[in-house]
Amino acid sequence: MTESWVNSAEHIGADLHLELSGPGGRRAALTRALREAVRGGRLAPGTRLPPYRSLAADLGVARNTVADAYAELVAEGWLTARQGSGTRVAERAEPLRDTVRTPVEAPSRAGPVHDLRQGAPDASAFPRAAWAASYRRALQAAPNEAFGPGDPAGRRELRETLAEYLARARGVRTEPDRIVICSGFAHALRLLFGRGVQDGPGAGEVLRGPLGVEAYGLGFHRELLAAAGVRTVPLPLDEHGARVDALGRERAVLLTPAHQFPTGGPLHPERRAAVIGWARARGAVVLEDDYDGEFRYDRRPVGALQGLDPERVIHIGSVSKSLSPALRLGWMVLPRRYVEPVLAAKGEREGWASVPDQLALADFVACGSYDRHVRRMRQRYRRRRDRLLAALAAQAPHIEVAGIAAGLHAVLRLPPGTERSTVRAAVWRGVALDGLAAFRHPRSPTDAGDGLVVGYAAPAEHAYGAALEALCGVLPQG
Amino acid sequence: MTESWVNSAEHIGADLHLELSGPGGRRAALTRALREAVRGGRLAPGTRLPPYRSLAADLGVARNTVADAYAELVAEGWLTARQGSGTRVAERAEPLRDTVRTPVEAPSRAGPVHDLRQGAPDASAFPRAAWAASYRRALQAAPNEAFGPGDPAGRRELRETLAEYLARARGVRTEPDRIVICSGFAHALRLLFGRGVQDGPGAGEVLRGPLGVEAYGLGFHRELLAAAGVRTVPLPLDEHGARVDALGRERAVLLTPAHQFPTGGPLHPERRAAVIGWARARGAVVLEDDYDGEFRYDRRPVGALQGLDPERVIHIGSVSKSLSPALRLGWMVLPRRYVEPVLAAKGEREGWASVPDQLALADFVACGSYDRHVRRMRQRYRRRRDRLLAALAAQAPHIEVAGIAAGLHAVLRLPPGTERSTVRAAVWRGVALDGLAAFRHPRSPTDAGDGLVVGYAAPAEHAYGAALEALCGVLPQG
């Protein structure tokens, strides 16, 4: 067998300038360095990587650190792992140099065979024709000034339309002047808690920590807050959602009231009232991450917490789950007193959100295409959820499923101690998904136990059945 | 006369929570606060503002600070100033509530009558039809994965196309893997110098100060760098551009080699070589702000400095001047060693640039529409420059003009001591423009004298003649 590989782990280490002491932990640093080495071509397709233990020994890290980094990159499609032949750099098509003058398919790198990660909608379902029609109409109707420097608040056309839509669909009480357009939830967090490099150079932070957060949530958000110097205080979770009675001196709290992420379930009505009461009493504010509020299946939608007190809740949403994360469009619905500071943080001119896309979204919502798309996707995701439940009932009836009334993912409870091995087994079968542990706050007072977070939205329609088969094949036996 | 106004300056101050100690200086803070008060409706249309001296006394600031803030807001269209009736909040159309379901014209606030500020292209010239065609084609041709989470490097289709275009049009030597897409020049600066809230939570800063900058440049960039804790060291300017021989221990230098901003003129060939030599000797890097490299009139284009040494220059460009700032699309062409750190700073997924817009731009460049548009705009701006020169020759022959071989603006030299009064006089005539002083580094070793920076791109074609007339009417007599 020809080995294009690389003799020693030290060689890789030296070549990649691995800095495992960097922020984000050793696993993250190693993953990043290896990914870049593949992306940049320094590790050629087909190159065999050293065994876990050799690289671990040479880098002075735990064997599991290397194993996890490899597994993540296999899941992302940069590496392939096959029992018996070790871990290799994935083969990928070379860029088609001779077709450079027309848009070409991105060079396909071998992604995971089955993508059951949470977070992204079915990319194959993007409503290309309806979106293109809205874009064209919006471009034709736009006043000339739309192509000049943009208002950092966002286009009024979009804010008008969103105010009306959010009132109707999510029970949000607002007006266009209290909406600020942004590039998504992470951008909203940066605008609210930013220090140092502000989006607008003249701005100070809008909010300060300590910030209450749910004991389980997106690690990306925690890391972003930590980088901003915001101390997060994890709130216990139970079957009614976050234990907001644990809030004390925090100045703000970040919640997913419609559908706790990732464990599932809406915040109990009494707790909704309680957290508003806390915010009023303390002069604090609630950040409502309405990441999938449009997708409910078994009951009527839970209205936005914001509706209870528009002066105590910052409601944040985006089209990333409902339409596509490729558009980079989101919104913040702000209490009056935060409008000016957030705009100051954003700067004198729109620096981020594409104005034509903003206008297209305004048209897309106003002409009813957005509602139609959400309705269609709700049906599709509901069918997928039902197929997931049916497959589990048939092939793994001992696995309990939670968080299924809404959203684009479910939580599969696993027997204690089996989560990590199950995630690894999934990788070997080409199934990309995350264990619950990936979402746990480092100081979490709650142990949600072992589990898998199964996103059922990302696969294309035709690929979903095979993904379920592969998933059921790696679950621990009952 | 009915006065909807506000009795005392203290009242305004209290109501607006003015914090004049905020960053950016008192003038900036006051401007911001007043702008927000108008935008948010707290200062109603028609409201008369207090005289300079009353507000200045009440806020404990200089009278000129208030005068400058008012003037800026008049220039932006938030306030109106008429001799005899003082300064008032501009009248503006109420939002058309009953047309909320279709995109509506943004409520027109009365902008300046004549906009001769630099920085923005003619918004009325945006090539709507050609862009919409590219967008539609790109949307049809895109693979499904384009609508999933994006690659932070940017779409390969766009990077391929840009590598080819920048080589051809700007003499940039690169390959797609060394290009990173961003939202514009300011975003590039943030990615390079960011601290605190990183765009990617795991990132440290890519570059550090001290950073050499030109003695005159955009205040926005200086403020952004200052907020990031980057010390800037101003380099003297002369007729050959920045005195790069003054560079010493700086770790990087930010230059506008094709056309010094705002004083005009390309960097002398010997200095181009010298700054590369300095960077090599010091292990430093040159940031090339190629903000208007495509617009040259009297000589062949000056190739990008990056072509001299792709490993020592970060070349940064965008479509903000060539096409529209509304698209929020730019690019960084990086030395190999910075690719990974910049991608780490950007995060695991594309958080900013719209993927459909990226694909549309790739098509727009590849099919020749971009070249056609630049050619057309070059002719238009050249004609405008010639009309400006003709108008000055006829009506103000004593005024010397500089920086006219390229770009979208010219510098009019003024007699000593007349700049501030001329800018003020312009405001009263409805002409928005900036004096040279607005661009001067606080520790500038060079005094470029009094002058006006006249942007000739922003007005619509039909409005340009009147703008020139108004401009000539406010120039100091010879």
Side-chain angles (χ1 to χ4, degrees):
Chain A
M1 186 195 279
T2 313
E3 292 285 342
S4 64
W5 150 248
V6 197
N7 296 314
S8 73
E10 292 93 328
H11 181 78
I12 284 198
D15 203 42
L16 302 182
H17 310 290
L18 294 183
E19 295 196 17
L20 299 193
S21 58
R26 285 159 169 246
R27 173 187 156 179
L30 177 58
T31 309
R32 216 158 39 224
L34 287 170
R35 186 190 299 114
E36 287 318 311
V38 176
R39 192 204 305 263
R42 277 171 291 163
L43 285 175
T47 302
R48 185 171 174 178
L49 272 75
Y52 305 153
R53 76 173 60 82
S54 332
L55 188 58
D58 285 313
L59 296 172
V61 301
R63 190 174 165 283
N64 270 336
T65 303
V66 179
D68 286 346
Y70 281 13
E72 190 167 334
L73 294 168
V74 169
E76 292 178 7
W78 299 103
L79 306 180
T80 58
R82 290 289 173 269
Q83 259 153 338
S85 82
T87 307
R88 290 171 181 275
V89 177
E91 299 292 343
R92 48 175 184 167
E94 285 301 299
L96 301 170
R97 289 285 174 171
D98 54 343
T99 61
V100 69
R101 293 191 59 82
T102 53
V104 295
E105 281 266 330
S108 63
R109 50 184 175 82
V113 184
H114 309 293
D115 190 353
L116 293 177
R117 285 171 293 189
Q118 59 71 39
D122 180 353
S124 73
F126 185 79
R128 300 182 190 216
W131 181 261
S134 281
Y135 194 93
R136 186 176 45 75
R137 274 197 302 270
L139 217 58
Q140 283 171 346
N144 281 334
E145 48 87 18
F147 303 101
D151 183 343
R155 290 297 298 184
R156 174 160 282 274
E157 295 91 328
L158 178 56
R159 290 182 289 122
E160 295 266 4
T161 306
L162 282 175
E164 192 265 353
Y165 172 79
L166 293 172
R168 174 166 59 78
R170 304 292 304 122
V172 166
R173 291 191 286 149
T174 190
E175 54 211 49
D177 284 339
R178 284 171 44 207
I179 297 180
V180 174
I181 302 301
C182 57
S183 295
F185 186 81
H187 189 200
L189 276 190
R190 288 187 186 104
L191 290 169
L192 292 170
F193 290 99
R195 291 193 317 186
V197 187
Q198 292 301 327
D199 283 27
E205 65 247 47
V206 178
L207 301 179
R208 287 165 194 254
L211 171 72
V213 297
E214 295 164 329
Y216 282 71
L218 267 191
F220 173 59
H221 294 166
R222 284 195 300 270
E223 289 169 17
L224 197 149
L225 290 161
V230 177
R231 191 160 67 85
T232 54
V233 182
L235 300 175
L237 286 173
D238 63 21
E239 70 278 20
H240 298 309
R243 290 275 304 276
V244 297
D245 58 321
L247 284 167
R249 295 176 176 279
E250 292 82 1
R251 299 190 191 184
V253 62
L254 169 59
L255 298 174
T256 51
H259 183 223
Q260 202 284 322
F261 182 86
T263 64
L267 189 65
H268 192 279
E270 284 174 14
R271 295 198 183 162
R272 289 164 62 96
V275 75
I276 296 291
W278 167 81
R280 286 177 182 157
R282 290 280 182 175
V285 64
V286 182
L287 277 61
E288 175 173 38
D289 179 4
D290 199 39
Y291 68 105
D292 67 358
E294 280 129 336
F295 294 105
R296 288 207 71 80
Y297 308 120
D298 297 340
R299 61 183 92 179
R300 61 192 179 78
V302 178
L305 186 64
Q306 191 268 3
L308 293 184
D309 190 342
E311 287 303 320
R312 285 290 152 206
V313 179
I314 298 175
H315 176 89
I316 306 170
S318 80
V319 300
S320 294
K321 303 246 182 337
S322 59
L323 202 47
S324 169
L327 292 173
R328 309 316 313 146
L329 281 178
W331 47 85
M332 317 171 68
V333 180
L334 294 162
R336 175 69 66 191
R337 68 190 177 285
Y338 293 126
V339 173
E340 182 186 331
V342 166
L343 289 175
K346 213 169 164 207
E348 299 284 311
R349 297 171 167 192
E350 175 62 69
W352 309 106
S354 157
V355 167
D357 284 344
Q358 291 184 51
L359 294 171
L361 180 59
D363 181 273
F364 195 77
V365 173
C367 76
S369 290
Y370 189 78
D371 286 270
R372 274 190 295 278
H373 180 69
V374 166
R375 220 157 35 229
R376 188 165 70 93
M377 297 315 290
R378 196 186 287 129
Q379 288 164 2
R380 175 178 296 200
Y381 295 143
R382 182 185 183 138
R383 279 196 306 271
R384 291 193 184 186
R385 182 203 61 166
D386 293 344
R387 287 175 66 188
L388 169 66
L389 298 179
L392 291 171
Q395 299 181 52
H398 56 290
I399 300 284
E400 185 197 341
V401 192
I404 56 173
L408 313 186
H409 72 273
V411 174
L412 277 54
R413 306 275 177 208
L414 297 181
T418 62
E419 178 178 311
R420 181 188 277 254
S421 59
T422 306
V423 171
R424 287 253 191 89
V427 164
W428 285 97
R429 293 284 294 263
V431 181
L433 44 60
D434 290 298
L436 264 179
F439 302 95
R440 187 176 178 178
H441 194 287
R443 299 185 303 278
S444 170
T446 302
D447 182 358
D450 283 38
L452 298 179
V453 178
V454 175
Y456 45 78
E461 197 72 358
H462 65 85
Y464 185 59
L468 286 187
E469 281 303 308
L471 170 68
C472 289
V474 301
L475 294 174
Q477 299 305 310
Chain B
M1 186 196 280
T2 314
E3 293 284 343
S4 63
W5 154 245
V6 201
N7 296 314
S8 73
E10 292 95 329
H11 181 76
I12 285 198
D15 202 42
L16 302 182
H17 309 289
L18 293 182
E19 295 198 17
L20 300 192
S21 58
R26 285 159 170 246
R27 174 187 156 178
L30 177 58
T31 308
R32 216 157 41 224
L34 287 169
R35 186 190 299 115
E36 288 318 310
V38 175
R39 191 205 306 262
R42 276 171 290 163
L43 286 174
T47 302
R48 184 172 175 177
L49 272 74
Y52 305 154
R53 75 174 60 82
S54 332
L55 188 56
D58 284 312
L59 295 173
V61 301
R63 189 174 166 281
N64 270 335
T65 303
V66 178
D68 286 345
Y70 282 14
E72 189 168 334
L73 293 168
V74 169
E76 293 177 7
W78 299 104
L79 306 180
T80 58
R82 292 288 172 269
Q83 260 154 336
S85 82
T87 308
R88 290 172 182 275
V89 177
E91 300 292 342
R92 47 175 184 167
E94 285 301 301
L96 302 170
R97 290 283 175 175
D98 53 343
T99 60
V100 70
R101 293 191 57 81
T102 52
V104 295
E105 280 266 329
S108 63
R109 51 184 175 82
V113 183
H114 310 294
D115 189 353
L116 293 177
R117 287 171 293 190
Q118 60 71 38
D122 180 351
S124 73
F126 184 79
R128 301 181 190 217
W131 180 262
S134 282
Y135 194 92
R136 185 177 44 76
R137 273 195 302 271
L139 217 58
Q140 283 171 345
N144 281 335
E145 49 87 17
F147 303 101
D151 182 343
R155 290 298 297 182
R156 174 161 281 273
E157 295 91 329
L158 178 55
R159 290 182 289 123
E160 295 265 6
T161 306
L162 281 175
E164 192 265 352
Y165 172 78
L166 293 172
R168 173 166 60 78
R170 303 292 304 122
V172 166
R173 291 190 286 149
T174 191
E175 54 211 49
D177 284 339
R178 283 169 46 206
I179 297 179
V180 174
I181 302 302
C182 58
S183 295
F185 187 82
H187 188 201
L189 276 190
R190 288 185 186 105
L191 290 170
L192 292 171
F193 291 99
R195 292 193 316 186
V197 187
Q198 292 302 325
D199 284 26
E205 66 246 46
V206 178
L207 301 178
R208 288 166 193 253
L211 172 71
V213 297
E214 296 165 328
Y216 283 71
L218 268 190
F220 173 58
H221 294 166
R222 283 195 300 269
E223 289 168 18
L224 196 149
L225 290 162
V230 177
R231 190 161 68 84
T232 54
V233 182
L235 300 175
L237 285 173
D238 63 21
E239 70 277 21
H240 298 309
R243 290 273 305 275
V244 297
D245 58 321
L247 284 166
R249 295 176 176 282
E250 293 82 1
R251 300 190 190 185
V253 62
L254 169 59
L255 298 174
T256 50
H259 185 222
Q260 202 286 322
F261 183 86
T263 65
L267 189 65
H268 192 279
E270 285 174 14
R271 295 198 183 162
R272 289 164 62 95
V275 75
I276 296 292
W278 167 82
R280 286 177 183 157
R282 290 279 183 179
V285 65
V286 183
L287 278 62
E288 175 173 37
D289 179 2
D290 199 40
Y291 68 105
D292 67 358
E294 278 130 337
F295 295 106
R296 287 206 73 78
Y297 308 120
D298 298 340
R299 63 183 91 181
R300 60 191 180 79
V302 178
L305 187 64
Q306 191 268 2
L308 294 185
D309 190 342
E311 288 302 320
R312 285 291 152 205
V313 179
I314 298 175
H315 177 89
I316 305 171
S318 80
V319 300
S320 294
K321 304 248 181 338
S322 59
L323 201 48
S324 169
L327 293 173
R328 309 315 312 145
L329 282 179
W331 49 84
M332 316 171 68
V333 180
L334 293 162
R336 174 69 66 190
R337 67 191 178 284
Y338 293 125
V339 173
E340 183 185 329
V342 166
L343 288 176
K346 214 170 164 204
E348 299 283 311
R349 297 172 168 193
E350 175 61 69
W352 309 106
S354 157
V355 167
D357 284 345
Q358 290 184 52
L359 294 171
L361 180 58
D363 182 273
F364 195 76
V365 173
C367 76
S369 290
Y370 189 78
D371 286 271
R372 275 189 295 279
H373 180 69
V374 166
R375 224 160 27 232
R376 188 164 71 93
M377 296 314 291
R378 196 186 289 132
Q379 288 164 3
R380 176 179 293 200
Y381 295 144
R382 183 188 182 136
R383 279 196 305 272
R384 290 193 184 187
R385 182 203 60 166
D386 293 344
R387 287 174 66 187
L388 169 66
L389 297 180
L392 291 171
Q395 299 181 51
H398 56 290
I399 300 283
E400 184 197 341
V401 193
I404 55 173
L408 313 185
H409 72 273
V411 175
L412 277 53
R413 307 274 176 207
L414 297 181
T418 63
E419 178 179 311
R420 180 186 278 254
S421 60
T422 305
V423 172
R424 287 254 190 88
V427 164
W428 286 97
R429 293 284 292 265
V431 181
L433 44 60
D434 290 298
L436 264 179
F439 302 95
R440 187 177 179 180
H441 193 287
R443 299 185 304 279
S444 170
T446 302
D447 182 357
D450 282 38
L452 298 178
V453 177
V454 175
Y456 45 79
E461 197 71 359
H462 65 85
Y464 185 59
L468 287 187
E469 282 302 309
L471 170 67
C472 289
V474 301
L475 294 175
Q477 298 305 308

